[in-house]
Amino acid sequence: MQDREVLRSLGPGAFEYAYISSMAVAPAVRRRGLAQALLLAAQQQALLWSQHHLLLHVYDDNLPAVKLYLKHGFKQIAADPS
């Protein structure tokens, strides 16, 4: 993707990025490492595409997801107004 506002927040030299548009794990199978496996697969795919930036959106109140992304090195670069 090439959203100019997002690219500005990534810093100089960023021309594009991979984007996770949606990720979900069914409630019945949560807490088994599936979200982590999905995220790692997305990171590996981004590298195969020579993408050094991987972005996504997450709601601030989705604490398990926020913790997962922070644990894997993601940083908040923007927040939508509430």
Side-chain angles (χ1 to χ4, degrees):
M1 298 190 72
Q2 298 175 325
D3 182 290
R4 287 184 181 146
E5 184 177 331
V6 172
L7 289 171
R8 276 193 298 270
S9 69
L10 295 176
F15 300 102
E16 61 184 5
Y17 55 93
Y19 178 75
I20 298 173
S21 65
S22 184
M23 191 171 90
V25 174
V29 292
R30 288 184 182 155
R31 308 290 308 156
R32 297 183 188 178
L34 296 173
Q36 180 172 303
L38 287 169
L39 185 58
L40 291 173
Q43 290 174 313
Q44 290 173 350
Q45 186 60 55
L47 290 175
L48 288 173
W49 290 335
S50 298
Q51 296 296 319
H52 301 287
H53 301 285
L54 179 61
L55 283 77
L56 53 84
H57 282 94
V58 62
Y59 291 110
D60 289 337
D61 62 353
N62 187 348
L63 295 180
V66 170
K67 286 180 183 181
L68 173 71
Y69 303 137
L70 291 174
K71 176 182 171 184
H72 286 275
F74 283 78
K75 297 177 179 107
Q76 182 174 345
I77 60 171
D80 290 331
S82 38

